[in-house]
Amino acid sequence: MIRVLLIEDEELIREGLRLTTPWQEWGMEVVGEAADGETGMNKILELKPDVVITDVKMPKMSGLEMIEQLRGQAACEYIILSGYDEFALVKQAIHLEVQEYLLKPVDDEELRAVMEQAARKVHRKRVMKQRLAQYQEEEKGYSMDARNIQDKYLDRAKEILRERYQENLTLKSVADVLFISDSYLGKLFKNRTGYTFLEMLTFYRIRAAVEYLQNTDKKVYEIAYAIGYNDSKYFSRVFQRVTGMKPMELKNGHPLPEDHILRHL
């Protein structure tokens, strides 16, 4: 069950969310409510919800201030529900890695889609936590040298890149999943692979693009979007830098060299 906390200073909106949203049907439950950011912060630390739906402008502390204060203390997904369509607020929300910024009145289907996406992230976190717990359990009773531990972290990080390359992954977001620091993970990538995190993410995206170009009729801009790029021209430049050829050249039958790194990921 996904645990949800509602933070909204307008009681009518807060109660409406709690009473009219089919939480049980979505596999969720509302574990608490708050009417201001300060109380909301305390509730998050106390109840440890998986997902927090919060307003932006509230008494005592704004929703964004609350999220900023909780960085490093809470592992929940945040969804902003706001009546203010202001670029500065949206930009700050993006900086804080908020899951979504929704405008009031929120559409039921839009909320459902966003909550489903948040639930998928929560489930992935739980699976990762279970796997790490298993790793730790396996390590009991015998000594494991530092290199083997590094291998596990690096292998899992590369698995995340293979599975989720189309998402807006960052070094920090992957490190958070592994419960290690981003600086440690960054050094692992560079020291053990010879490439930075961003270079490895780019390789996995471009490898997927190669598969699309060779095996589908998708257009270049469609492929760019499918692998995580919103700008098809930028994608083409990256593709050419990595492969040495333009996307259409590969689509028209020019093969990658046999020893190209993309063949060995």
Short mmCIF file of all heavy atoms in Angstrom, two decimals, residues 4-10 13-14 17 23 34-41 44 51-59 61-68 70 76-83 93 96 98-104 111 115:
data_model
loop_
_atom_site.label_atom_id
_atom_site.label_comp_id
_atom_site.label_asym_id
_atom_site.label_seq_id
_atom_site.Cartn_x
_atom_site.Cartn_y
_atom_site.Cartn_z
N VAL A 4 0.13 8.06 1.56
CA VAL A 4 0.01 9.42 1.01
C VAL A 4 -0.27 10.42 2.14
O VAL A 4 -1.07 10.14 3.04
CB VAL A 4 -1.13 9.49 -0.04
CG1 VAL A 4 -1.26 10.92 -0.60
CG2 VAL A 4 -0.89 8.49 -1.16
N LEU A 5 0.41 11.57 2.07
CA LEU A 5 0.16 12.66 3.02
C LEU A 5 -0.33 13.88 2.24
O LEU A 5 0.25 14.24 1.21
CB LEU A 5 1.44 13.01 3.78
CG LEU A 5 1.33 14.13 4.82
CD1 LEU A 5 0.48 13.69 5.99
CD2 LEU A 5 2.72 14.56 5.29
N LEU A 6 -1.42 14.51 2.71
CA LEU A 6 -2.00 15.68 2.06
C LEU A 6 -1.66 16.94 2.86
O LEU A 6 -1.94 17.01 4.06
CB LEU A 6 -3.52 15.53 1.97
CG LEU A 6 -4.06 14.27 1.28
CD1 LEU A 6 -5.58 14.26 1.33
CD2 LEU A 6 -3.56 14.18 -0.15
N ILE A 7 -1.09 17.95 2.19
CA ILE A 7 -0.75 19.21 2.84
C ILE A 7 -1.38 20.34 2.04
O ILE A 7 -0.94 20.62 0.93
CB ILE A 7 0.78 19.40 2.95
CG1 ILE A 7 1.42 18.19 3.62
CG2 ILE A 7 1.10 20.67 3.73
CD1 ILE A 7 2.93 18.23 3.65
N GLU A 8 -2.41 20.95 2.59
CA GLU A 8 -3.19 21.96 1.87
C GLU A 8 -3.90 22.85 2.89
O GLU A 8 -4.58 22.35 3.78
CB GLU A 8 -4.21 21.26 0.95
CG GLU A 8 -5.30 22.11 0.38
CD GLU A 8 -4.78 23.20 -0.53
OE1 GLU A 8 -4.18 22.86 -1.58
OE2 GLU A 8 -4.97 24.38 -0.19
N ASP A 9 -3.73 24.17 2.76
CA ASP A 9 -4.32 25.05 3.76
C ASP A 9 -5.81 25.30 3.54
O ASP A 9 -6.51 25.71 4.45
CB ASP A 9 -3.57 26.39 3.80
CG ASP A 9 -3.62 27.13 2.48
OD1 ASP A 9 -3.58 26.47 1.43
OD2 ASP A 9 -3.71 28.36 2.49
N GLU A 10 -6.29 25.03 2.32
CA GLU A 10 -7.72 25.18 2.07
C GLU A 10 -8.43 23.88 2.44
O GLU A 10 -8.28 22.86 1.76
CB GLU A 10 -7.97 25.53 0.60
CG GLU A 10 -7.41 26.89 0.21
CD GLU A 10 -7.78 27.27 -1.21
OE1 GLU A 10 -8.97 27.13 -1.57
OE2 GLU A 10 -6.89 27.69 -1.96
N ILE A 13 -10.53 21.92 -0.22
CA ILE A 13 -9.75 21.21 -1.22
C ILE A 13 -9.11 19.96 -0.60
O ILE A 13 -9.12 18.88 -1.19
CB ILE A 13 -8.66 22.12 -1.81
CG1 ILE A 13 -9.30 23.26 -2.60
CG2 ILE A 13 -7.70 21.32 -2.71
CD1 ILE A 13 -8.31 24.25 -3.16
N ARG A 14 -8.57 20.11 0.61
CA ARG A 14 -7.92 18.98 1.28
C ARG A 14 -8.91 17.85 1.55
O ARG A 14 -8.64 16.67 1.26
CB ARG A 14 -7.30 19.46 2.59
CG ARG A 14 -6.38 18.42 3.24
CD ARG A 14 -5.67 18.98 4.46
NE ARG A 14 -6.56 19.21 5.58
CZ ARG A 14 -6.91 20.40 6.03
NH1 ARG A 14 -6.44 21.50 5.45
NH2 ARG A 14 -7.72 20.54 7.08
N LEU A 17 -9.94 16.13 -1.71
CA LEU A 17 -8.94 15.16 -2.15
C LEU A 17 -9.02 13.87 -1.36
O LEU A 17 -8.97 12.77 -1.92
CB LEU A 17 -7.53 15.76 -1.99
CG LEU A 17 -6.97 16.59 -3.13
CD1 LEU A 17 -5.64 17.20 -2.71
CD2 LEU A 17 -6.79 15.76 -4.38
N TRP A 23 -8.56 6.27 -3.42
CA TRP A 23 -7.24 5.85 -2.96
C TRP A 23 -7.10 4.33 -2.89
O TRP A 23 -6.10 3.77 -3.33
CB TRP A 23 -6.95 6.45 -1.59
CG TRP A 23 -6.96 7.96 -1.55
CD1 TRP A 23 -7.86 8.76 -0.93
CD2 TRP A 23 -6.03 8.85 -2.19
NE1 TRP A 23 -7.56 10.09 -1.13
CE2 TRP A 23 -6.44 10.17 -1.90
CE3 TRP A 23 -4.89 8.65 -2.97
CZ2 TRP A 23 -5.74 11.28 -2.36
CZ3 TRP A 23 -4.20 9.76 -3.43
CH2 TRP A 23 -4.62 11.05 -3.13
N ALA A 34 -2.19 17.95 6.74
CA ALA A 34 -1.67 19.15 7.41
C ALA A 34 -2.18 20.37 6.66
O ALA A 34 -2.45 20.31 5.46
CB ALA A 34 -0.14 19.13 7.43
N ALA A 35 -2.30 21.48 7.40
CA ALA A 35 -2.85 22.71 6.81
C ALA A 35 -1.79 23.78 6.59
O ALA A 35 -2.12 24.88 6.15
CB ALA A 35 -3.96 23.25 7.70
N ASP A 36 -0.53 23.48 6.89
CA ASP A 36 0.54 24.45 6.64
C ASP A 36 1.85 23.69 6.48
O ASP A 36 1.96 22.52 6.85
CB ASP A 36 0.64 25.47 7.78
CG ASP A 36 0.97 24.83 9.11
OD1 ASP A 36 2.15 24.49 9.33
OD2 ASP A 36 0.04 24.66 9.93
N GLY A 37 2.86 24.37 5.92
CA GLY A 37 4.12 23.71 5.63
C GLY A 37 4.88 23.24 6.84
O GLY A 37 5.51 22.19 6.82
N GLU A 38 4.82 24.01 7.92
CA GLU A 38 5.56 23.64 9.13
C GLU A 38 5.00 22.35 9.73
O GLU A 38 5.75 21.43 10.08
CB GLU A 38 5.49 24.78 10.15
CG GLU A 38 6.35 24.55 11.38
CD GLU A 38 6.32 25.75 12.32
OE1 GLU A 38 6.85 26.80 11.92
OE2 GLU A 38 5.74 25.63 13.41
N THR A 39 3.67 22.30 9.86
CA THR A 39 3.04 21.07 10.37
C THR A 39 3.28 19.92 9.40
O THR A 39 3.52 18.78 9.81
CB THR A 39 1.53 21.28 10.56
OG1 THR A 39 1.31 22.41 11.41
CG2 THR A 39 0.89 20.05 11.16
N GLY A 40 3.21 20.24 8.10
CA GLY A 40 3.44 19.21 7.09
C GLY A 40 4.82 18.60 7.22
O GLY A 40 4.99 17.37 7.10
N MET A 41 5.84 19.43 7.45
CA MET A 41 7.20 18.92 7.61
C MET A 41 7.28 17.96 8.79
O MET A 41 7.88 16.88 8.69
CB MET A 41 8.17 20.08 7.79
CG MET A 41 9.62 19.65 7.90
SD MET A 41 10.81 21.01 7.82
CE MET A 41 10.41 21.85 9.36
N ILE A 44 5.64 14.67 7.89
CA ILE A 44 6.46 13.85 7.00
C ILE A 44 7.52 13.10 7.79
O ILE A 44 7.73 11.90 7.59
CB ILE A 44 7.11 14.73 5.91
CG1 ILE A 44 6.04 15.24 4.93
CG2 ILE A 44 8.19 13.95 5.14
CD1 ILE A 44 6.53 16.29 3.96
N VAL A 51 4.35 9.27 -0.67
CA VAL A 51 4.02 10.37 -1.59
C VAL A 51 3.41 11.51 -0.79
O VAL A 51 2.57 11.29 0.09
CB VAL A 51 3.02 9.92 -2.68
CG1 VAL A 51 2.71 11.08 -3.63
CG2 VAL A 51 3.58 8.73 -3.46
N VAL A 52 3.85 12.74 -1.10
CA VAL A 52 3.29 13.93 -0.45
C VAL A 52 2.68 14.82 -1.52
O VAL A 52 3.33 15.18 -2.50
CB VAL A 52 4.38 14.72 0.30
CG1 VAL A 52 3.81 16.04 0.83
CG2 VAL A 52 4.94 13.89 1.45
N ILE A 53 1.39 15.14 -1.36
CA ILE A 53 0.72 16.11 -2.22
C ILE A 53 0.64 17.40 -1.43
O ILE A 53 0.03 17.44 -0.36
CB ILE A 53 -0.68 15.64 -2.62
CG1 ILE A 53 -0.60 14.32 -3.40
CG2 ILE A 53 -1.38 16.69 -3.48
CD1 ILE A 53 -1.95 13.75 -3.79
N THR A 54 1.24 18.46 -1.95
CA THR A 54 1.31 19.70 -1.17
C THR A 54 1.00 20.93 -2.00
O THR A 54 1.30 20.98 -3.19
CB THR A 54 2.71 19.87 -0.53
OG1 THR A 54 2.74 21.08 0.22
CG2 THR A 54 3.81 19.91 -1.58
N ASP A 55 0.38 21.91 -1.35
CA ASP A 55 0.17 23.23 -1.96
C ASP A 55 1.50 23.98 -1.92
O ASP A 55 2.44 23.57 -1.24
CB ASP A 55 -0.91 23.98 -1.18
CG ASP A 55 -1.45 25.18 -1.94
OD1 ASP A 55 -0.95 25.44 -3.06
OD2 ASP A 55 -2.34 25.85 -1.41
N VAL A 56 1.60 25.09 -2.66
CA VAL A 56 2.81 25.89 -2.65
C VAL A 56 2.74 26.97 -1.58
O VAL A 56 3.52 27.00 -0.63
CB VAL A 56 3.06 26.53 -4.04
CG1 VAL A 56 4.25 27.48 -3.95
CG2 VAL A 56 3.35 25.45 -5.07
N LYS A 57 1.80 27.89 -1.72
CA LYS A 57 1.72 29.03 -0.81
C LYS A 57 0.79 28.72 0.35
O LYS A 57 -0.42 28.60 0.17
CB LYS A 57 1.25 30.26 -1.59
CG LYS A 57 2.24 30.66 -2.68
CD LYS A 57 1.88 31.98 -3.34
CE LYS A 57 2.93 32.36 -4.38
NZ LYS A 57 2.64 33.64 -5.05
N MET A 58 1.39 28.57 1.54
CA MET A 58 0.64 28.20 2.74
C MET A 58 1.17 29.00 3.93
O MET A 58 2.25 29.57 3.87
CB MET A 58 0.80 26.70 3.03
CG MET A 58 0.26 25.79 1.95
SD MET A 58 0.43 24.03 2.41
CE MET A 58 2.23 23.86 2.35
N PRO A 59 0.41 29.02 5.03
CA PRO A 59 0.90 29.72 6.23
C PRO A 59 2.15 29.08 6.80
O PRO A 59 2.41 27.90 6.59
CB PRO A 59 -0.28 29.57 7.20
CG PRO A 59 -1.47 29.28 6.36
CD PRO A 59 -0.95 28.50 5.18
N MET A 61 5.04 28.23 6.38
CA MET A 61 6.12 27.76 5.51
C MET A 61 5.52 27.31 4.19
O MET A 61 4.53 26.57 4.18
CB MET A 61 6.86 26.59 6.18
CG MET A 61 8.03 26.04 5.37
SD MET A 61 8.76 24.58 6.14
CE MET A 61 9.46 25.30 7.64
N SER A 62 6.08 27.73 3.08
CA SER A 62 5.55 27.33 1.77
C SER A 62 5.90 25.87 1.49
O SER A 62 6.80 25.29 2.12
CB SER A 62 6.14 28.21 0.66
OG SER A 62 7.48 27.82 0.37
N GLY A 63 5.19 25.29 0.54
CA GLY A 63 5.46 23.90 0.18
C GLY A 63 6.88 23.70 -0.33
O GLY A 63 7.53 22.71 0.00
N LEU A 64 7.38 24.65 -1.13
CA LEU A 64 8.73 24.53 -1.65
C LEU A 64 9.78 24.70 -0.56
O LEU A 64 10.81 24.02 -0.56
CB LEU A 64 8.94 25.55 -2.77
CG LEU A 64 8.08 25.31 -4.03
CD1 LEU A 64 8.27 26.44 -5.03
CD2 LEU A 64 8.42 23.97 -4.67
N GLU A 65 9.53 25.61 0.38
CA GLU A 65 10.45 25.77 1.52
C GLU A 65 10.49 24.48 2.34
O GLU A 65 11.55 24.05 2.81
CB GLU A 65 10.01 26.93 2.40
CG GLU A 65 10.24 28.30 1.77
CD GLU A 65 9.63 29.43 2.59
OE1 GLU A 65 8.67 29.17 3.35
OE2 GLU A 65 10.11 30.56 2.46
N MET A 66 9.34 23.89 2.52
CA MET A 66 9.24 22.64 3.27
C MET A 66 10.07 21.54 2.59
O MET A 66 10.84 20.82 3.25
CB MET A 66 7.77 22.21 3.36
CG MET A 66 7.55 20.88 4.05
SD MET A 66 5.85 20.29 3.82
CE MET A 66 5.91 19.81 2.07
N ILE A 67 9.92 21.41 1.29
CA ILE A 67 10.66 20.39 0.55
C ILE A 67 12.16 20.63 0.65
O ILE A 67 12.95 19.71 0.84
CB ILE A 67 10.20 20.35 -0.92
CG1 ILE A 67 8.72 19.90 -1.00
CG2 ILE A 67 11.08 19.41 -1.74
CD1 ILE A 67 8.10 20.06 -2.38
N GLU A 68 12.55 21.91 0.53
CA GLU A 68 13.97 22.27 0.65
C GLU A 68 14.51 21.88 2.03
O GLU A 68 15.61 21.33 2.15
CB GLU A 68 14.13 23.78 0.43
CG GLU A 68 15.56 24.29 0.56
CD GLU A 68 16.43 23.86 -0.60
OE1 GLU A 68 15.99 23.92 -1.76
OE2 GLU A 68 17.58 23.44 -0.31
N LEU A 70 13.54 19.54 3.92
CA LEU A 70 13.52 18.09 4.14
C LEU A 70 14.52 17.33 3.26
O LEU A 70 14.60 16.11 3.34
CB LEU A 70 12.11 17.54 3.87
CG LEU A 70 11.07 17.86 4.95
CD1 LEU A 70 9.67 17.56 4.45
CD2 LEU A 70 11.37 17.08 6.22
N CYS A 76 10.46 10.69 0.24
CA CYS A 76 9.15 10.61 -0.41
C CYS A 76 9.16 11.34 -1.77
O CYS A 76 10.03 12.14 -2.06
CB CYS A 76 8.06 11.19 0.49
SG CYS A 76 8.53 12.72 1.31
N GLU A 77 8.14 11.01 -2.57
CA GLU A 77 7.91 11.70 -3.84
C GLU A 77 6.97 12.88 -3.58
O GLU A 77 5.96 12.72 -2.88
CB GLU A 77 7.28 10.75 -4.86
CG GLU A 77 8.14 9.54 -5.20
CD GLU A 77 9.43 9.93 -5.91
OE1 GLU A 77 9.40 10.91 -6.68
OE2 GLU A 77 10.45 9.28 -5.67
N TYR A 78 7.29 14.03 -4.15
CA TYR A 78 6.47 15.22 -3.93
C TYR A 78 5.69 15.59 -5.19
O TYR A 78 6.23 15.60 -6.29
CB TYR A 78 7.35 16.42 -3.54
CG TYR A 78 8.05 16.24 -2.22
CD1 TYR A 78 9.39 15.87 -2.17
CD2 TYR A 78 7.38 16.46 -1.02
CE1 TYR A 78 10.04 15.71 -0.96
CE2 TYR A 78 8.02 16.31 0.20
CZ TYR A 78 9.35 15.92 0.22
OH TYR A 78 9.99 15.76 1.42
N ILE A 79 4.41 15.90 -4.98
CA ILE A 79 3.54 16.39 -6.05
C ILE A 79 2.99 17.74 -5.61
O ILE A 79 2.36 17.85 -4.56
CB ILE A 79 2.40 15.41 -6.35
CG1 ILE A 79 2.98 14.08 -6.86
CG2 ILE A 79 1.42 16.00 -7.36
CD1 ILE A 79 1.97 12.96 -6.96
N ILE A 80 3.26 18.75 -6.41
CA ILE A 80 2.77 20.10 -6.11
C ILE A 80 1.37 20.28 -6.69
O ILE A 80 1.12 19.95 -7.85
CB ILE A 80 3.71 21.17 -6.71
CG1 ILE A 80 5.09 21.09 -6.05
CG2 ILE A 80 3.10 22.56 -6.54
CD1 ILE A 80 5.14 21.54 -4.63
N LEU A 81 0.47 20.80 -5.88
CA LEU A 81 -0.89 21.14 -6.32
C LEU A 81 -1.06 22.63 -6.04
O LEU A 81 -1.21 23.04 -4.89
CB LEU A 81 -1.91 20.31 -5.54
CG LEU A 81 -3.35 20.35 -6.02
CD1 LEU A 81 -3.47 19.87 -7.45
CD2 LEU A 81 -4.23 19.50 -5.11
N SER A 82 -1.03 23.45 -7.10
CA SER A 82 -0.95 24.90 -6.89
C SER A 82 -1.94 25.67 -7.74
O SER A 82 -2.33 25.23 -8.82
CB SER A 82 0.48 25.37 -7.23
OG SER A 82 0.55 26.79 -7.18
N GLY A 83 -2.31 26.83 -7.23
CA GLY A 83 -3.15 27.74 -7.99
C GLY A 83 -2.34 28.80 -8.71
O GLY A 83 -2.91 29.73 -9.29
N ALA A 93 10.56 24.16 -8.33
CA ALA A 93 10.07 22.79 -8.13
C ALA A 93 10.92 21.79 -8.91
O ALA A 93 11.25 20.70 -8.42
CB ALA A 93 8.61 22.69 -8.56
N LEU A 96 14.13 21.15 -7.20
CA LEU A 96 13.96 20.28 -6.02
C LEU A 96 13.55 18.86 -6.40
O LEU A 96 13.26 18.04 -5.53
CB LEU A 96 12.91 20.90 -5.08
CG LEU A 96 13.32 22.21 -4.41
CD1 LEU A 96 12.14 22.82 -3.67
CD2 LEU A 96 14.49 22.00 -3.46
N VAL A 98 10.86 17.76 -7.82
CA VAL A 98 9.46 17.44 -7.54
C VAL A 98 8.91 16.56 -8.67
O VAL A 98 9.23 16.77 -9.84
CB VAL A 98 8.64 18.75 -7.42
CG1 VAL A 98 7.15 18.47 -7.45
CG2 VAL A 98 9.03 19.48 -6.15
N GLN A 99 8.11 15.58 -8.30
CA GLN A 99 7.55 14.66 -9.27
C GLN A 99 6.70 15.36 -10.33
O GLN A 99 6.84 15.12 -11.53
CB GLN A 99 6.69 13.61 -8.53
CG GLN A 99 5.78 12.75 -9.41
CD GLN A 99 6.55 11.65 -10.10
OE1 GLN A 99 7.61 11.28 -9.64
NE2 GLN A 99 6.03 11.14 -11.19
N GLU A 100 5.81 16.25 -9.90
CA GLU A 100 4.92 16.94 -10.86
C GLU A 100 4.41 18.23 -10.23
O GLU A 100 4.28 18.35 -9.01
CB GLU A 100 3.75 16.02 -11.22
CG GLU A 100 2.92 16.50 -12.41
CD GLU A 100 3.73 16.58 -13.69
OE1 GLU A 100 4.03 15.53 -14.29
OE2 GLU A 100 4.05 17.72 -14.08
N TYR A 101 4.11 19.22 -11.09
CA TYR A 101 3.56 20.50 -10.66
C TYR A 101 2.20 20.63 -11.34
O TYR A 101 2.11 20.90 -12.55
CB TYR A 101 4.49 21.64 -11.09
CG TYR A 101 4.17 23.00 -10.50
CD1 TYR A 101 4.95 23.54 -9.48
CD2 TYR A 101 3.10 23.75 -10.97
CE1 TYR A 101 4.68 24.80 -8.94
CE2 TYR A 101 2.81 25.00 -10.44
CZ TYR A 101 3.60 25.52 -9.43
OH TYR A 101 3.32 26.76 -8.91
N LEU A 102 1.12 20.42 -10.58
CA LEU A 102 -0.24 20.43 -11.13
C LEU A 102 -0.95 21.72 -10.73
O LEU A 102 -0.79 22.22 -9.62
CB LEU A 102 -1.04 19.23 -10.60
CG LEU A 102 -0.49 17.84 -10.93
CD1 LEU A 102 -1.36 16.77 -10.27
CD2 LEU A 102 -0.41 17.62 -12.42
N LEU A 103 -1.75 22.23 -11.65
CA LEU A 103 -2.51 23.45 -11.38
C LEU A 103 -3.93 23.12 -10.93
O LEU A 103 -4.56 22.20 -11.46
CB LEU A 103 -2.56 24.32 -12.64
CG LEU A 103 -1.22 24.94 -13.07
CD1 LEU A 103 -1.40 25.70 -14.37
CD2 LEU A 103 -0.66 25.86 -12.00
N LYS A 104 -4.42 23.87 -9.95
CA LYS A 104 -5.81 23.72 -9.51
C LYS A 104 -6.74 24.40 -10.52
O LYS A 104 -6.37 25.42 -11.10
CB LYS A 104 -6.00 24.37 -8.13
CG LYS A 104 -5.13 23.83 -7.02
CD LYS A 104 -5.35 24.67 -5.77
CE LYS A 104 -4.41 24.27 -4.65
NZ LYS A 104 -4.55 25.13 -3.46
N LEU A 111 -4.50 13.58 -12.25
CA LEU A 111 -4.03 13.19 -10.94
C LEU A 111 -3.77 11.69 -10.88
O LEU A 111 -2.76 11.24 -10.33
CB LEU A 111 -5.06 13.58 -9.86
CG LEU A 111 -4.69 13.19 -8.43
CD1 LEU A 111 -3.40 13.88 -7.98
CD2 LEU A 111 -5.83 13.55 -7.47
N MET A 115 -0.20 10.02 -9.99
CA MET A 115 -0.08 9.14 -8.82
C MET A 115 0.42 7.76 -9.22
O MET A 115 1.18 7.12 -8.49
CB MET A 115 -1.43 9.03 -8.10
CG MET A 115 -1.91 10.33 -7.46
SD MET A 115 -0.72 11.02 -6.26
CE MET A 115 -0.77 9.78 -4.97
#
